[in-house]
Amino acid sequence: MADEKAIELAELDAIAIGRLNGVGPKKEKGLTHFEIHTVLDLLTHYPRRYIDRSNQVPIAELAPGEEAMVVVTIDSMSTRPTRNRRVKMTTGRVHDHSGTLAITFFNQPWRQKQLGPGVEAVLFGKVDLYRGKRQMSNPVVDLVGDQTGRIVPVYPQSEKAGLTTREIGEWVAESLRRVDNGRGFAEPLPEAVLDRFDFVNRSAAYHGIHAPDSMAEIQVARRRLVFDELLRIQLALVLRKRAIERDSRGVEHQLDGELTRAFHDRLPFPLTGAQARVIGEIEADLAKPVPMHRLLQGDVGSGKTVVAVSSMLDAVQGGHQGALMAPTEVLAEQHHLGVSELLDGFTVPDSATLMGERPLKVDLLTNRVSTPDRRRILAELVAGGVDIVIGTHALIQEAVSFHSLGVVVIDEQHRFGVEQRAALREKNVDGTVPDVLVMTATPIPRTAAMTVYGDLDVSVLDEMPPGRTPIRTEWVRTGWGSGEGQDEGLDASRVWQHVRDEVVAGRQAYVVCPLIEESEKLEVASAEEVFERLRADELEGLSLGLLHGRVTPVEKEETMRQFREGRLSVLVATTVIEVGVDVPNATIMVIVDADRFGIAQLHQLRGRVGRGADESSCYLLASAETPEGQARLEAIEATTDGFELAEIDLELRGEGTIMGERQKGRNDLKLASLRRDKQWVASAREVAVDLVAADPTLERHELLANEIGLFLGEADTAFLLKG
Ligand code: ADP
Ligand code: MG
C-alpha cells in the first residue's frame, strides 16, 4: 500500500529549481540548458558515470603500461603544433602529494583553457614512458576536485552552461535531504511487484543512484529506476491499446474461408511456415469483436504480399472490402498489377447475376487515375462493387467512403502517421471500424517493437521462401575518385569488370550514390558525376540510365520502364530506388560511398537484387574512416538477416532514432536503454498488461496513474483512463 502522505513525483515537479539554495538566476539559466526546470528534472538528471575513489593511486605508484586513476592539481599547460602541422599537441604538468606527472592531449587545444593552473582534476588513463618519464596521453578528465566520499558521481556537465558536476551533486543532495526530512518518496509500485523483482523502494533508489556507498548499490538503484521508466511507457501503451478497443466496434468477419483457401491452393508455391503462422494470428484477430491493430514485420522478400492478400480475402469472403495502401504511386501500381494477377479468375457471390456470382474486382485509386475513372471507382466503393482497392494516400485524402471496409493493409508503415491510420479507420458508413494490418520491411528488435509499437500486436515473418540464391556482399575498401592514392582505383576496377561480365551475360546492375549535389567539402560523389564517369570510362559502351531527385516524374517513369524492360543495363541512381523497384534480372548492386548510408538503408538497397534465380552480388565501395562506419559495413557484409542487422543498428546508434518519431512530449527514457535493458522491457510489459487487466482505469493504482499523466500530459492521460 502506498503511503498517501508521502511525496509524489508530481509535487517535486511543482517545485521550481530556483528555490534550491545556491541556484540563482545565472545557474538557473545554465540548468535550462539541460532542460532542468524543476526539482524532479534535477533528480532525474542522472550521473553519466562514477569515479570509484578506492581505485585511486598516488602518482608515485603509477606503473607504466597500466590504467589508473590519479587526483591531481594542474601546474601548467601549453599547446603547440607538431611537425605534422595538422596535429596540435597540448602538454602539461600536474602533481599530487606524492609526485609529478606529464600529460598530453592531441587535437584538444581547449584543454588548455579547461585545465588552468591550480585546477583540481581526476585523470583516468594509461601511463607510458616517454623519454624515460611517465606520462598519460589523452586521459579521461573529470573536474570533480578532491571530494569526500568513496564513490563520486559525474554528471553530464557543460562548460557553456557554467555548471560543474560538483554543483549539480550538491543541489541533488539538498533535494534528497528535503524529501527525507519531509515525508519521504511515495511508493507507486504494488508490494507484489516489489517482491517479485526484489526491487528497493524509491527512496533507496534515488539515494543509490545519486549518492551511492558502493558500486553495487548503483546497480540495484538503476534497476529499480529503469523499471519505473519502462513501466510508465508500457502502461501508457497498454492503456492506449485498450482505449482503442473500448471505443470501437469491429467488422464481423465470416471466416470459413473458401476464397482464402482457394487462393492458397492456387499459389504456385506452398506457404512458408511463417506465412501460415502469421495468417493464423491475423485470422484469430479477425474473429474477435474488437478491431485488429497488428504490425507485420517481415524482411524484404519474406512474402508479405501473400499475407496481405489472404487477409483482404478474409474480408471479401464475408461481403466486406479490402484496402491496400502503399506509400508511393509506383508501389501502388506495382501492387495493383501483382494482386490483380494473383486474383485473376476468382469470383464472389452476387445474387443479382444469373450465375449467382461475379468476378472479384480489384481496382486502383491514386492521384494519377483520370477523373471519370475516379468517379466510377468512388461510386463502386460505396456500392460495394469493388472488392479490393489499392492506392496511395488518395485513399484517405479523398472523399472516399466504403460500402463495408473490412480489412485495411498499410504497406511500409514508417511513411504513415498515426493520424492517417486513424482517418482510414473512419471510412465505414455504419460506424464499424475495419481491422488494420500494418506491414513494414524495416525490422526492429523485439523489445524495441514492444516499446515503439506497444499499442499494436506484432507478427513476424522470420522465414524466407525457399530457393533463393544468397547475395554475396563485399566491402571493397576504396573511395570513389577521392583522389588520394592511385592504387584505390584497382580494387574498384574489379567491381566494374564484374558489372560488365554480368551485362554481357544478359543481366543488369544498379549503382547507387548517396547525394545528388556535388559537395566539394564532403567529397561525396554525385550521381551525375558517377554517371558521367562510368559512361565515359569504366562502363563505356553499356547502356546507362540516371535517376535522382531532380529528374521529372515523367522522365523517371520512362527510365524505370526502360530498365524494367531490359533496354538499360545499368541504372545509376540516388536512393529514389530504395522502395519499390522489382527487377528480378538485376544481379549486381554497387553502393558508392556506402559508409554514408545507415544499416537499414543499406539492407533495403541490397534487397533490390537477389530476386531471381541467379546469384547476386552487392559491393560496398567505401574507405569508411570512422569506427562506426566500419562497423556498419562489416555488419552488412557479415549477414543478410534483417533482424540481426536491426539489433546491431540499435547497438550502434542507440534508441534515440527509433524512439524519436513516436515519442510525444517529455522523453521519459533517461536511464533505461532498449539495448541493455531488454529483459526489463519484457517484464514491464508483463506487469503493465496484468495491472490494466485487473484495474482497467487504474483507480486502485492512483500514484501510477498520476505518474503517467506527469510524463504524457493531462489530456492524453484523461483519454486513456476513461472508464
Ligand atoms: P515482401 O513484400 O515481403 O518484400 P513479396 O510479397 O513481394 O515480399 O514476395 C517476394 C517474392 O517471394 C515474390 O516473388 C513472391 O511471389 C515470392 N513468394 C512469396 N511467398 C512465397 C513462398 N511461400 N514460397 C515461394 N515464394 C514465395
Ligand atoms: Mg512488399
Side-chain angles (χ1 to χ4, degrees):
M1 277 286 275
D3 178 0
E4 292 288 328
K5 286 181 305 244
I7 293 175
E8 292 188 36
L9 297 190
E11 294 176 67
L12 296 175
D13 199 42
I15 305 174
I17 198 73
R19 288 177 53 196
L20 290 174
N21 285 332
V23 182
K26 208 171 133 211
K27 296 292 178 191
E28 201 174 333
K29 206 163 155 232
L31 284 164
T32 53
H33 266 281
F34 296 111
E35 299 285 315
I36 299 176
H37 309 282
T38 71
V39 169
L40 178 65
D41 294 335
L42 180 70
L43 287 180
T44 53
H45 183 65
Y46 298 110
R48 189 158 41 98
R49 55 204 173 81
Y50 302 84
I51 298 168
D52 184 351
R53 297 283 298 271
S54 59
N55 291 337
Q56 182 183 330
V57 172
I59 287 178
E61 286 173 28
L62 285 176
E66 279 175 20
E67 290 202 319
M69 184 203 306
V70 289
V71 179
V72 303
T73 306
I74 311 294
D75 296 326
S76 63
M77 297 289 287
S78 64
T79 300
R80 60 186 161 77
T82 57
R83 231 177 307 161
N84 174 354
R85 298 221 139 247
R86 271 189 273 175
V87 179
K88 278 213 178 75
M89 194 159 93
T90 304
T91 55
R93 215 178 60 129
V94 303
H95 76 270
D96 70 3
H97 65 276
S98 72
T100 63
L101 176 72
I103 56 174
T104 333
F105 298 95
F106 293 97
N107 283 339
Q108 301 177 27
W110 50 275
R111 289 289 190 191
Q112 185 166 348
K113 203 167 155 223
Q114 180 198 34
L115 301 173
V119 166
E120 290 177 340
V122 175
L123 308 178
F124 183 84
K126 202 166 110 190
V127 182
D128 308 312
L129 276 185
Y130 181 70
R131 294 186 177 149
K133 284 195 177 147
R134 287 172 311 166
Q135 99 170 358
M136 243 186 215
S137 296
N138 287 338
V140 174
V141 178
D142 284 310
L143 296 185
V144 296
D146 202 3
Q147 291 185 25
T148 52
R150 190 162 80 79
I151 312 280
V152 180
V154 180
Y155 290 94
Q157 52 186 321
S158 148
E159 321 246 294
K160 220 170 42 194
L163 300 172
T164 67
T165 186
R166 184 186 223 160
E167 283 171 315
I168 295 175
E170 277 163 10
W171 297 326
V172 168
E174 189 198 331
S175 305
L176 289 176
R177 218 164 29 239
R178 287 196 187 189
V179 175
D180 288 344
N181 295 344
R183 294 161 278 140
F185 282 96
E187 179 54 67
L189 285 189
E191 201 76 47
V193 175
L194 289 171
D195 283 351
R196 175 174 166 199
F197 299 105
D198 203 15
F199 284 139
V200 293
N201 67 28
R202 196 167 252 177
S203 287
Y206 278 109
H207 278 275
I209 203 88
H210 287 293
D213 290 320
S214 70
M215 294 305 261
E217 197 183 334
I218 300 167
Q219 290 319 311
V220 170
R222 183 179 182 281
R223 213 154 58 96
R224 165 64 207 263
L225 294 169
V226 160
F227 186 83
D228 282 6
E229 287 181 359
L230 294 173
L231 180 63
R232 283 192 283 264
I233 290 184
Q234 290 303 334
L235 276 174
L237 290 165
V238 171
L239 286 167
R240 178 163 320 225
K241 186 162 183 294
R242 186 193 141 268
I244 290 169
E245 291 170 358
R246 174 194 67 203
D247 291 348
S248 38
R249 184 163 55 90
V251 175
E252 275 178 48
H253 293 279
Q254 182 192 328
L255 286 170
D256 51 6
E258 208 182 302
L259 258 182
T260 318
R261 240 191 340 268
F263 170 63
H264 295 167
D265 289 346
R266 256 192 43 185
L267 285 173
F269 41 71
L271 296 175
T272 64
Q275 283 170 325
R277 191 193 67 236
V278 168
I279 287 172
E281 288 166 358
I282 290 168
E283 290 187 343
D285 282 355
L286 295 183
K288 291 180 197 161
V290 295
M292 168 171 77
H293 211 50
R294 185 170 283 277
L295 175 73
L296 172 59
Q297 291 196 62
D299 221 332
V300 181
S302 60
K304 293 187 290 297
T305 312
V306 166
V307 175
V309 172
S310 183
S311 311
M312 291 191 290
L313 286 178
D314 280 329
V316 174
Q317 176 76 53
H320 306 287
Q321 293 155 297
L324 173 58
M325 200 152 79
T328 65
E329 315 227 309
V330 175
L331 256 192
E333 284 160 18
Q334 206 164 285
H335 270 313
H336 177 242
L337 284 178
V339 172
S340 300
E341 205 178 296
L342 281 171
L343 297 179
D344 185 35
F346 278 80
T347 55
V348 293
D350 183 358
S351 53
T353 66
L354 195 58
M355 305 300 291
E357 57 180 34
R358 60 165 175 82
L360 187 153
K361 182 140 194 222
V362 181
D363 234 318
L364 174 71
L365 184 63
T366 69
N367 288 330
R368 286 203 288 222
V369 170
S370 70
T371 311
D373 271 348
R374 166 172 302 142
R375 226 174 270 139
R376 176 189 56 77
I377 295 169
L378 290 183
E380 287 187 10
L381 282 175
V382 180
V386 171
D387 301 294
I388 291 180
V389 64
I390 295 172
T392 54
H393 289 72
L395 283 180
I396 46 172
Q397 284 165 349
E398 311 262 326
V400 187
S401 287
F402 290 79
H403 166 66
S404 176
L405 182 56
V407 169
V408 177
V409 180
I410 300 173
D411 199 5
E412 297 299 341
Q413 184 276 333
H414 57 285
R415 315 233 164 165
F416 281 100
V418 174
E419 291 80 13
Q420 289 164 314
R421 256 191 279 152
L424 200 60
R425 298 165 86 256
E426 284 164 8
K427 287 291 175 193
N428 278 346
V429 233
D430 67 355
T432 54
V433 174
D435 293 275
V436 176
L437 178 69
V438 171
M439 307 199 296
T440 172
T442 313
I444 63 174
R446 202 176 75 93
T447 50
M450 237 179 232
T451 311
V452 184
Y453 301 111
D455 50 352
L456 280 69
D457 293 301
V458 178
S459 286
V460 179
L461 279 182
D462 50 7
E463 181 187 347
M464 283 292 185
R468 311 231 159 161
T469 23
I471 304 169
R472 213 178 52 83
T473 304
E474 187 186 338
W475 172 18
V476 181
R477 288 160 174 77
T478 174
W480 165 271
S482 50
E484 298 191 17
Q486 283 306 306
D487 52 319
E488 279 191 344
L490 283 178
D491 254 359
S493 68
R494 181 166 56 81
V495 173
W496 304 122
Q497 187 55 50
H498 190 187
V499 171
R500 285 183 161 279
D501 292 347
E502 287 290 295
V503 169
V504 167
R507 289 185 279 273
Q508 291 162 284
Y510 298 101
V511 178
V512 177
C513 318
L515 282 182
I516 308 165
E517 268 167 298
E518 229 162 313
S519 160
E520 277 174 20
K521 216 167 94 196
L522 296 173
E523 295 187 10
V524 173
S526 73
E528 273 129 352
E529 185 199 317
V530 170
F531 175 75
E532 292 303 340
R533 193 175 115 184
L534 288 177
R535 193 165 60 162
D537 192 351
E538 284 93 341
L539 301 182
E540 194 206 333
L542 306 188
S543 53
L544 271 65
L546 174 63
L547 273 190
H548 56 59
R550 280 182 307 190
V551 168
T552 67
V554 177
E555 287 171 314
K556 185 174 154 189
E557 189 94 337
E558 177 58 20
T559 305
M560 276 313 306
R561 212 189 54 216
Q562 291 185 4
F563 189 68
R564 259 197 302 272
E565 291 169 0
R567 286 187 283 133
L568 289 173
S569 303
V570 180
L571 188 62
V572 179
T574 54
T575 44
V576 289
I577 68 156
E578 192 185 338
V579 179
V581 180
D582 190 7
V583 180
N585 191 46
T587 52
I588 298 203
M589 167 66 66
V590 182
I591 305 176
V592 175
D593 286 335
D595 53 338
R596 298 199 168 271
F597 294 89
I599 282 189
Q601 232 182 349
L602 289 171
H603 180 61
Q604 292 286 324
L605 286 170
R606 176 169 56 185
R608 300 299 117 199
V609 294
R611 301 187 148 224
D614 303 309
E615 175 168 309
S616 293
S617 306
C618 173
Y619 292 104
L620 312 167
L621 304 190
S623 37
E625 270 144 33
T626 66
E628 211 203 291
Q630 289 167 9
R632 281 201 301 270
L633 298 180
E634 277 163 7
I636 293 286
E637 210 178 11
T639 180
T640 51
D641 181 330
F643 283 91
E644 205 177 318
L645 288 170
E647 292 278 357
I648 297 171
D649 201 21
L650 183 59
E651 205 70 49
L652 288 175
R653 287 194 309 166
E655 46 265 335
T657 33
I658 290 186
M659 293 302 291
E661 272 179 41
R662 294 269 298 190
Q663 280 262 318
K664 275 192 194 157
R666 193 165 180 168
N667 181 6
D668 191 23
L669 274 189
K670 289 186 170 169
L671 209 50
S673 147
L674 298 183
R675 296 165 279 170
R676 277 209 286 166
D677 302 310
K678 274 181 207 160
Q679 86 273 29
W680 291 116
V681 175
S683 302
R685 175 90 185 167
E686 216 181 294
V687 170
V689 168
D690 289 349
L691 284 173
V692 173
D695 182 10
T697 56
L698 294 187
E699 58 188 348
R700 281 179 282 122
H701 298 89
E702 204 190 332
L703 281 176
L704 279 177
N706 291 350
E707 287 187 14
I708 300 170
L710 195 55
F711 291 94
L712 273 188
E714 300 297 334
D716 246 359
T717 318
F719 161 70
L720 294 183
L721 295 173
K722 208 164 75 181

